[in-house]
PDB file of all heavy atoms in Angstrom:
ATOM      1  N   ILE A 182     101.098 -62.963  50.584  1.00 94.00           N
ATOM      2  CA  ILE A 182     100.225 -63.030  49.405  1.00 94.00           C
ATOM      3  C   ILE A 182     100.168 -64.451  48.855  1.00 94.00           C
ATOM      4  O   ILE A 182      99.095 -64.956  48.491  1.00 94.00           O
ATOM      5  CB  ILE A 182     100.723 -62.052  48.325  1.00 94.00           C
ATOM      6  CG1 ILE A 182     100.499 -60.607  48.790  1.00 94.00           C
ATOM      7  CG2 ILE A 182     100.029 -62.304  46.989  1.00 94.00           C
ATOM      8  CD1 ILE A 182     101.232 -59.575  47.954  1.00 94.00           C
ATOM      9  N   GLY A 183     101.318 -65.119  48.786  1.00 95.00           N
ATOM     10  CA  GLY A 183     101.327 -66.491  48.293  1.00 95.00           C
ATOM     11  C   GLY A 183     100.454 -67.416  49.117  1.00 95.00           C
ATOM     12  O   GLY A 183      99.708 -68.235  48.572  1.00 95.00           O
ATOM     13  N   CYS A 184     100.537 -67.291  50.425  1.00 95.00           N
ATOM     14  CA  CYS A 184      99.704 -68.123  51.306  1.00 95.00           C
ATOM     15  C   CYS A 184      98.220 -67.823  51.090  1.00 95.00           C
ATOM     16  O   CYS A 184      97.384 -68.732  51.053  1.00 95.00           O
ATOM     17  CB  CYS A 184     100.086 -67.889  52.764  1.00 95.00           C
ATOM     18  SG  CYS A 184     101.706 -68.522  53.233  1.00 95.00           S
ATOM     19  N   LEU A 185      97.886 -66.539  50.956  1.00 94.00           N
ATOM     20  CA  LEU A 185      96.488 -66.157  50.713  1.00 94.00           C
ATOM     21  C   LEU A 185      95.982 -66.716  49.394  1.00 94.00           C
ATOM     22  O   LEU A 185      94.822 -67.164  49.299  1.00 94.00           O
ATOM     23  CB  LEU A 185      96.359 -64.636  50.703  1.00 94.00           C
ATOM     24  CG  LEU A 185      96.290 -63.939  52.061  1.00 94.00           C
ATOM     25  CD1 LEU A 185      96.313 -62.425  51.874  1.00 94.00           C
ATOM     26  CD2 LEU A 185      95.037 -64.354  52.837  1.00 94.00           C
ATOM     27  N   VAL A 186      96.821 -66.703  48.370  1.00 94.00           N
ATOM     28  CA  VAL A 186      96.439 -67.257  47.071  1.00 94.00           C
ATOM     29  C   VAL A 186      96.124 -68.751  47.205  1.00 94.00           C
ATOM     30  O   VAL A 186      95.156 -69.247  46.616  1.00 94.00           O
ATOM     31  CB  VAL A 186      97.561 -67.037  46.037  1.00 94.00           C
ATOM     32  CG1 VAL A 186      97.297 -67.831  44.757  1.00 94.00           C
ATOM     33  CG2 VAL A 186      97.682 -65.553  45.696  1.00 94.00           C
ATOM     34  N   HIS A 187      96.919 -69.456  47.982  1.00 91.00           N
ATOM     35  CA  HIS A 187      96.677 -70.881  48.199  1.00 91.00           C
ATOM     36  C   HIS A 187      95.330 -71.102  48.879  1.00 91.00           C
ATOM     37  O   HIS A 187      94.539 -71.954  48.457  1.00 91.00           O
ATOM     38  CB  HIS A 187      97.786 -71.477  49.071  1.00 91.00           C
ATOM     39  CG  HIS A 187      97.645 -72.961  49.284  1.00 91.00           C
ATOM     40  ND1 HIS A 187      98.520 -73.864  48.737  1.00 91.00           N
ATOM     41  CD2 HIS A 187      96.736 -73.688  49.988  1.00 91.00           C
ATOM     42  CE1 HIS A 187      98.146 -75.092  49.080  1.00 91.00           C
ATOM     43  NE2 HIS A 187      97.064 -75.000  49.849  1.00 91.00           N
ATOM     44  N   VAL A 188      95.072 -70.337  49.923  1.00 91.00           N
ATOM     45  CA  VAL A 188      93.807 -70.488  50.667  1.00 91.00           C
ATOM     46  C   VAL A 188      92.619 -70.218  49.745  1.00 91.00           C
ATOM     47  O   VAL A 188      91.643 -70.972  49.728  1.00 91.00           O
ATOM     48  CB  VAL A 188      93.783 -69.542  51.883  1.00 91.00           C
ATOM     49  CG1 VAL A 188      92.392 -69.550  52.540  1.00 91.00           C
ATOM     50  CG2 VAL A 188      94.844 -69.966  52.904  1.00 91.00           C
ATOM     51  N   PHE A 189      92.694 -69.136  48.974  1.00 89.00           N
ATOM     52  CA  PHE A 189      91.614 -68.815  48.052  1.00 89.00           C
ATOM     53  C   PHE A 189      91.440 -69.935  47.018  1.00 89.00           C
ATOM     54  O   PHE A 189      90.315 -70.324  46.688  1.00 89.00           O
ATOM     55  CB  PHE A 189      91.888 -67.489  47.343  1.00 89.00           C
ATOM     56  CG  PHE A 189      90.835 -67.122  46.335  1.00 89.00           C
ATOM     57  CD1 PHE A 189      89.604 -66.616  46.747  1.00 89.00           C
ATOM     58  CD2 PHE A 189      91.071 -67.305  44.983  1.00 89.00           C
ATOM     59  CE1 PHE A 189      88.617 -66.290  45.816  1.00 89.00           C
ATOM     60  CE2 PHE A 189      90.090 -66.981  44.049  1.00 89.00           C
ATOM     61  CZ  PHE A 189      88.872 -66.475  44.471  1.00 89.00           C
ATOM     62  N   GLY A 190      92.560 -70.451  46.505  1.00 87.00           N
ATOM     63  CA  GLY A 190      92.480 -71.525  45.519  1.00 87.00           C
ATOM     64  C   GLY A 190      91.791 -72.765  46.076  1.00 87.00           C
ATOM     65  O   GLY A 190      90.949 -73.371  45.406  1.00 87.00           O
ATOM     66  N   ASP A 191      92.133 -73.127  47.307  1.00 84.00           N
ATOM     67  CA  ASP A 191      91.500 -74.305  47.910  1.00 84.00           C
ATOM     68  C   ASP A 191      90.040 -74.056  48.265  1.00 84.00           C
ATOM     69  O   ASP A 191      89.262 -75.008  48.374  1.00 84.00           O
ATOM     70  CB  ASP A 191      92.281 -74.742  49.147  1.00 84.00           C
ATOM     71  CG  ASP A 191      93.469 -75.637  48.795  1.00 84.00           C
ATOM     72  OD1 ASP A 191      93.615 -75.976  47.607  1.00 84.00           O
ATOM     73  OD2 ASP A 191      94.239 -75.982  49.706  1.00 84.00           O
ATOM     74  N   CYS A 192      89.657 -72.796  48.434  1.00 85.00           N
ATOM     75  CA  CYS A 192      88.241 -72.491  48.655  1.00 85.00           C
ATOM     76  C   CYS A 192      87.418 -72.779  47.400  1.00 85.00           C
ATOM     77  O   CYS A 192      86.193 -72.950  47.482  1.00 85.00           O
ATOM     78  CB  CYS A 192      88.059 -71.021  49.047  1.00 85.00           C
ATOM     79  SG  CYS A 192      88.478 -70.662  50.768  1.00 85.00           S
ATOM     80  N   LEU A 193      88.066 -72.824  46.250  1.00 83.00           N
ATOM     81  CA  LEU A 193      87.368 -73.106  44.999  1.00 83.00           C
ATOM     82  C   LEU A 193      87.157 -74.590  44.782  1.00 83.00           C
ATOM     83  O   LEU A 193      86.473 -74.989  43.829  1.00 83.00           O
ATOM     84  CB  LEU A 193      88.160 -72.529  43.815  1.00 83.00           C
ATOM     85  CG  LEU A 193      88.364 -71.011  43.797  1.00 83.00           C
ATOM     86  CD1 LEU A 193      89.238 -70.621  42.617  1.00 83.00           C
ATOM     87  CD2 LEU A 193      87.023 -70.280  43.724  1.00 83.00           C
ATOM     88  N   THR A 194      87.749 -75.431  45.630  1.00 80.00           N
ATOM     89  CA  THR A 194      87.610 -76.877  45.485  1.00 80.00           C
ATOM     90  C   THR A 194      86.447 -77.394  46.318  1.00 80.00           C
ATOM     91  O   THR A 194      85.913 -76.696  47.192  1.00 80.00           O
ATOM     92  CB  THR A 194      88.895 -77.604  45.904  1.00 80.00           C
ATOM     93  OG1 THR A 194      89.063 -77.478  47.330  1.00 80.00           O
ATOM     94  CG2 THR A 194      90.111 -77.006  45.201  1.00 80.00           C
ATOM     95  N   GLU A 195      86.079 -78.633  46.070  1.00 74.00           N
ATOM     96  CA  GLU A 195      84.916 -79.209  46.728  1.00 74.00           C
ATOM     97  C   GLU A 195      85.099 -79.372  48.237  1.00 74.00           C
ATOM     98  O   GLU A 195      84.108 -79.432  48.975  1.00 74.00           O
ATOM     99  CB  GLU A 195      84.621 -80.587  46.117  1.00 74.00           C
ATOM    100  CG  GLU A 195      85.777 -81.569  46.195  1.00 74.00           C
ATOM    101  CD  GLU A 195      85.469 -82.870  45.490  1.00 74.00           C
ATOM    102  OE1 GLU A 195      84.266 -83.163  45.325  1.00 74.00           O
ATOM    103  OE2 GLU A 195      86.406 -83.600  45.121  1.00 74.00           O
ATOM    104  N   HIS A 196      86.344 -79.421  48.715  1.00 77.00           N
ATOM    105  CA  HIS A 196      86.573 -79.611  50.151  1.00 77.00           C
ATOM    106  C   HIS A 196      86.631 -78.293  50.918  1.00 77.00           C
ATOM    107  O   HIS A 196      86.482 -78.271  52.143  1.00 77.00           O
ATOM    108  CB  HIS A 196      87.860 -80.402  50.377  1.00 77.00           C
ATOM    109  CG  HIS A 196      87.818 -81.776  49.793  1.00 77.00           C
ATOM    110  ND1 HIS A 196      86.941 -82.751  50.245  1.00 77.00           N
ATOM    111  CD2 HIS A 196      88.517 -82.335  48.781  1.00 77.00           C
ATOM    112  CE1 HIS A 196      87.122 -83.860  49.541  1.00 77.00           C
ATOM    113  NE2 HIS A 196      88.064 -83.626  48.635  1.00 77.00           N
ATOM    114  N   GLY A 197      86.880 -77.196  50.233  1.00 80.00           N
ATOM    115  CA  GLY A 197      86.910 -75.899  50.883  1.00 80.00           C
ATOM    116  C   GLY A 197      88.068 -75.719  51.850  1.00 80.00           C
ATOM    117  O   GLY A 197      88.975 -76.544  51.933  1.00 80.00           O
ATOM    118  N   CYS A 198      88.053 -74.597  52.575  1.00 86.00           N
ATOM    119  CA  CYS A 198      89.125 -74.252  53.514  1.00 86.00           C
ATOM    120  C   CYS A 198      88.551 -73.632  54.788  1.00 86.00           C
ATOM    121  O   CYS A 198      87.557 -72.898  54.738  1.00 86.00           O
ATOM    122  CB  CYS A 198      90.090 -73.240  52.882  1.00 86.00           C
ATOM    123  SG  CYS A 198      91.514 -73.980  52.121  1.00 86.00           S
ATOM    124  N   PRO A 199      89.205 -73.869  55.923  1.00 85.00           N
ATOM    125  CA  PRO A 199      88.786 -73.229  57.186  1.00 85.00           C
ATOM    126  C   PRO A 199      89.342 -71.815  57.271  1.00 85.00           C
ATOM    127  O   PRO A 199      90.238 -71.537  58.092  1.00 85.00           O
ATOM    128  CB  PRO A 199      89.376 -74.155  58.255  1.00 85.00           C
ATOM    129  CG  PRO A 199      90.621 -74.680  57.627  1.00 85.00           C
ATOM    130  CD  PRO A 199      90.300 -74.824  56.150  1.00 85.00           C
ATOM    131  N   VAL A 200      88.859 -70.923  56.442  1.00 85.00           N
ATOM    132  CA  VAL A 200      89.434 -69.588  56.299  1.00 85.00           C
ATOM    133  C   VAL A 200      89.541 -68.859  57.625  1.00 85.00           C
ATOM    134  O   VAL A 200      90.525 -68.159  57.880  1.00 85.00           O
ATOM    135  CB  VAL A 200      88.593 -68.752  55.301  1.00 85.00           C
ATOM    136  CG1 VAL A 200      89.128 -67.328  55.196  1.00 85.00           C
ATOM    137  CG2 VAL A 200      88.572 -69.416  53.931  1.00 85.00           C
ATOM    138  N   LEU A 201      88.551 -69.005  58.482  1.00 87.00           N
ATOM    139  CA  LEU A 201      88.522 -68.275  59.752  1.00 87.00           C
ATOM    140  C   LEU A 201      88.998 -69.134  60.931  1.00 87.00           C
ATOM    141  O   LEU A 201      88.642 -68.842  62.074  1.00 87.00           O
ATOM    142  CB  LEU A 201      87.111 -67.749  60.014  1.00 87.00           C
ATOM    143  CG  LEU A 201      86.582 -66.741  59.003  1.00 87.00           C
ATOM    144  CD1 LEU A 201      85.186 -66.286  59.376  1.00 87.00           C
ATOM    145  CD2 LEU A 201      87.520 -65.539  58.880  1.00 87.00           C
ATOM    146  N   TRP A 202      89.788 -70.185  60.636  1.00 87.00           N
ATOM    147  CA  TRP A 202      90.361 -70.992  61.716  1.00 87.00           C
ATOM    148  C   TRP A 202      90.959 -70.068  62.783  1.00 87.00           C
ATOM    149  O   TRP A 202      91.588 -69.072  62.429  1.00 87.00           O
ATOM    150  CB  TRP A 202      91.446 -71.921  61.157  1.00 87.00           C
ATOM    151  CG  TRP A 202      92.023 -72.858  62.166  1.00 87.00           C
ATOM    152  CD1 TRP A 202      91.647 -74.127  62.436  1.00 87.00           C
ATOM    153  CD2 TRP A 202      93.134 -72.577  63.043  1.00 87.00           C
ATOM    154  NE1 TRP A 202      92.427 -74.656  63.422  1.00 87.00           N
ATOM    155  CE2 TRP A 202      93.339 -73.726  63.828  1.00 87.00           C
ATOM    156  CE3 TRP A 202      93.944 -71.457  63.262  1.00 87.00           C
ATOM    157  CZ2 TRP A 202      94.346 -73.793  64.790  1.00 87.00           C
ATOM    158  CZ3 TRP A 202      94.931 -71.518  64.223  1.00 87.00           C
ATOM    159  CH2 TRP A 202      95.121 -72.674  64.976  1.00 87.00           C
ATOM    160  N   PRO A 203      90.751 -70.351  64.085  1.00 83.00           N
ATOM    161  CA  PRO A 203      90.258 -71.580  64.710  1.00 83.00           C
ATOM    162  C   PRO A 203      88.748 -71.735  64.783  1.00 83.00           C
ATOM    163  O   PRO A 203      88.270 -72.689  65.400  1.00 83.00           O
ATOM    164  CB  PRO A 203      90.854 -71.477  66.117  1.00 83.00           C
ATOM    165  CG  PRO A 203      90.940 -70.030  66.386  1.00 83.00           C
ATOM    166  CD  PRO A 203      91.294 -69.401  65.079  1.00 83.00           C
ATOM    167  N   LEU A 204      87.981 -70.818  64.187  1.00 85.00           N
ATOM    168  CA  LEU A 204      86.539 -71.046  64.112  1.00 85.00           C
ATOM    169  C   LEU A 204      86.256 -72.231  63.198  1.00 85.00           C
ATOM    170  O   LEU A 204      86.962 -72.454  62.206  1.00 85.00           O
ATOM    171  CB  LEU A 204      85.824 -69.799  63.587  1.00 85.00           C
ATOM    172  CG  LEU A 204      85.968 -68.523  64.438  1.00 85.00           C
ATOM    173  CD1 LEU A 204      85.220 -67.371  63.769  1.00 85.00           C
ATOM    174  CD2 LEU A 204      85.450 -68.760  65.852  1.00 85.00           C
ATOM    175  N   LYS A 205      85.251 -72.998  63.492  1.00 82.00           N
ATOM    176  CA  LYS A 205      84.921 -74.166  62.699  1.00 82.00           C
ATOM    177  C   LYS A 205      84.187 -73.761  61.422  1.00 82.00           C
ATOM    178  O   LYS A 205      83.620 -72.696  61.329  1.00 82.00           O
ATOM    179  CB  LYS A 205      84.055 -75.137  63.506  1.00 82.00           C
ATOM    180  CG  LYS A 205      84.783 -75.764  64.699  1.00 82.00           C
ATOM    181  CD  LYS A 205      83.900 -76.765  65.418  1.00 82.00           C
ATOM    182  CE  LYS A 205      84.650 -77.415  66.576  1.00 82.00           C
ATOM    183  NZ  LYS A 205      83.802 -78.402  67.289  1.00 82.00           N
ATOM    184  N   GLY A 206      84.201 -74.669  60.472  1.00 80.00           N
ATOM    185  CA  GLY A 206      83.510 -74.424  59.217  1.00 80.00           C
ATOM    186  C   GLY A 206      84.473 -74.139  58.084  1.00 80.00           C
ATOM    187  O   GLY A 206      85.469 -73.432  58.274  1.00 80.00           O
ATOM    188  N   LYS A 207      84.186 -74.723  56.928  1.00 80.00           N
ATOM    189  CA  LYS A 207      85.032 -74.515  55.742  1.00 80.00           C
ATOM    190  C   LYS A 207      84.275 -73.749  54.674  1.00 80.00           C
ATOM    191  O   LYS A 207      83.083 -73.940  54.490  1.00 80.00           O
ATOM    192  CB  LYS A 207      85.510 -75.865  55.196  1.00 80.00           C
ATOM    193  CG  LYS A 207      86.455 -76.596  56.131  1.00 80.00           C
ATOM    194  CD  LYS A 207      87.032 -77.846  55.491  1.00 80.00           C
ATOM    195  CE  LYS A 207      88.047 -78.503  56.414  1.00 80.00           C
ATOM    196  NZ  LYS A 207      88.669 -79.708  55.804  1.00 80.00           N
ATOM    197  N   TRP A 208      85.005 -72.889  53.999  1.00 77.00           N
ATOM    198  CA  TRP A 208      84.418 -72.075  52.940  1.00 77.00           C
ATOM    199  C   TRP A 208      84.620 -72.751  51.596  1.00 77.00           C
ATOM    200  O   TRP A 208      85.720 -73.210  51.264  1.00 77.00           O
ATOM    201  CB  TRP A 208      85.085 -70.705  52.892  1.00 77.00           C
ATOM    202  CG  TRP A 208      84.773 -69.825  54.069  1.00 77.00           C
ATOM    203  CD1 TRP A 208      84.389 -70.218  55.323  1.00 77.00           C
ATOM    204  CD2 TRP A 208      84.834 -68.406  54.105  1.00 77.00           C
ATOM    205  NE1 TRP A 208      84.215 -69.133  56.127  1.00 77.00           N
ATOM    206  CE2 TRP A 208      84.479 -67.999  55.420  1.00 77.00           C
ATOM    207  CE3 TRP A 208      85.153 -67.430  53.164  1.00 77.00           C
ATOM    208  CZ2 TRP A 208      84.435 -66.669  55.809  1.00 77.00           C
ATOM    209  CZ3 TRP A 208      85.128 -66.107  53.547  1.00 77.00           C
ATOM    210  CH2 TRP A 208      84.758 -65.717  54.849  1.00 77.00           C
ATOM    211  N   VAL A 209      83.550 -72.821  50.809  1.00 79.00           N
ATOM    212  CA  VAL A 209      83.626 -73.309  49.437  1.00 79.00           C
ATOM    213  C   VAL A 209      83.050 -72.223  48.553  1.00 79.00           C
ATOM    214  O   VAL A 209      81.932 -71.770  48.774  1.00 79.00           O
ATOM    215  CB  VAL A 209      82.824 -74.622  49.253  1.00 79.00           C
ATOM    216  CG1 VAL A 209      82.915 -75.079  47.798  1.00 79.00           C
ATOM    217  CG2 VAL A 209      83.344 -75.714  50.167  1.00 79.00           C
ATOM    218  N   LEU A 210      83.829 -71.779  47.569  1.00 73.00           N
ATOM    219  CA  LEU A 210      83.418 -70.698  46.683  1.00 73.00           C
ATOM    220  C   LEU A 210      83.461 -71.156  45.214  1.00 73.00           C
ATOM    221  O   LEU A 210      84.475 -71.736  44.800  1.00 73.00           O
ATOM    222  CB  LEU A 210      84.340 -69.486  46.851  1.00 73.00           C
ATOM    223  CG  LEU A 210      84.451 -68.918  48.263  1.00 73.00           C
ATOM    224  CD1 LEU A 210      85.557 -67.870  48.319  1.00 73.00           C
ATOM    225  CD2 LEU A 210      83.128 -68.308  48.697  1.00 73.00           C
ATOM    226  N   PRO A 211      82.448 -70.947  44.410  1.00 65.00           N
ATOM    227  CA  PRO A 211      81.146 -70.413  44.793  1.00 65.00           C
ATOM    228  C   PRO A 211      80.452 -71.338  45.784  1.00 65.00           C
ATOM    229  O   PRO A 211      80.804 -72.520  45.866  1.00 65.00           O
ATOM    230  CB  PRO A 211      80.384 -70.341  43.474  1.00 65.00           C
ATOM    231  CG  PRO A 211      81.409 -70.490  42.404  1.00 65.00           C
ATOM    232  CD  PRO A 211      82.539 -71.275  42.997  1.00 65.00           C
ATOM    233  N   TYR A 212      79.473 -70.868  46.470  1.00 55.00           N
ATOM    234  CA  TYR A 212      78.861 -71.595  47.573  1.00 55.00           C
ATOM    235  C   TYR A 212      78.402 -72.994  47.142  1.00 55.00           C
ATOM    236  O   TYR A 212      77.578 -73.158  46.235  1.00 55.00           O
ATOM    237  CB  TYR A 212      77.655 -70.830  48.120  1.00 55.00           C
ATOM    238  CG  TYR A 212      76.985 -71.520  49.292  1.00 55.00           C
ATOM    239  CD1 TYR A 212      77.644 -71.619  50.516  1.00 55.00           C
ATOM    240  CD2 TYR A 212      75.723 -72.067  49.158  1.00 55.00           C
ATOM    241  CE1 TYR A 212      77.045 -72.243  51.589  1.00 55.00           C
ATOM    242  CE2 TYR A 212      75.106 -72.690  50.236  1.00 55.00           C
ATOM    243  CZ  TYR A 212      75.775 -72.782  51.454  1.00 55.00           C
ATOM    244  OH  TYR A 212      75.181 -73.423  52.514  1.00 55.00           O
ATOM    245  N   ASP A 213      78.983 -74.009  47.794  1.00 53.00           N
ATOM    246  CA  ASP A 213      78.620 -75.416  47.581  1.00 53.00           C
ATOM    247  C   ASP A 213      78.870 -75.923  46.162  1.00 53.00           C
ATOM    248  O   ASP A 213      78.305 -76.939  45.757  1.00 53.00           O
ATOM    249  CB  ASP A 213      77.155 -75.663  47.949  1.00 53.00           C
ATOM    250  CG  ASP A 213      76.965 -75.801  49.460  1.00 53.00           C
ATOM    251  OD1 ASP A 213      77.970 -75.991  50.143  1.00 53.00           O
ATOM    252  OD2 ASP A 213      75.814 -75.709  49.928  1.00 53.00           O
ATOM    253  N   ILE A 214      79.699 -75.220  45.387  1.00 55.00           N
ATOM    254  CA  ILE A 214      80.019 -75.701  44.036  1.00 55.00           C
ATOM    255  C   ILE A 214      81.536 -75.673  43.881  1.00 55.00           C
ATOM    256  O   ILE A 214      82.099 -74.756  43.278  1.00 55.00           O
ATOM    257  CB  ILE A 214      79.360 -74.837  42.940  1.00 55.00           C
ATOM    258  CG1 ILE A 214      77.862 -74.680  43.197  1.00 55.00           C
ATOM    259  CG2 ILE A 214      79.581 -75.470  41.561  1.00 55.00           C
ATOM    260  CD1 ILE A 214      77.165 -73.775  42.217  1.00 55.00           C
ATOM    261  N   GLY A 215      82.206 -76.664  44.438  1.00 57.00           N
ATOM    262  CA  GLY A 215      83.668 -76.693  44.361  1.00 57.00           C
ATOM    263  C   GLY A 215      84.159 -77.579  43.231  1.00 57.00           C
ATOM    264  O   GLY A 215      83.561 -78.607  42.918  1.00 57.00           O
TER     265      GLY A 215
END
Side-chain angles (χ1 to χ4, degrees):
I182 291 166
C184 291
L185 280 174
V186 169
H187 183 111
V188 172
F189 178 77
D191 276 355
C192 282
L193 298 176
T194 69
E195 57 184 338
H196 298 296
C198 265
V200 177
L201 297 180
W202 184 93
L204 298 179
K205 294 183 178 180
K207 293 186 176 182
W208 291 24
V209 179
L210 303 171
Y212 181 68
D213 281 345
I214 308 176

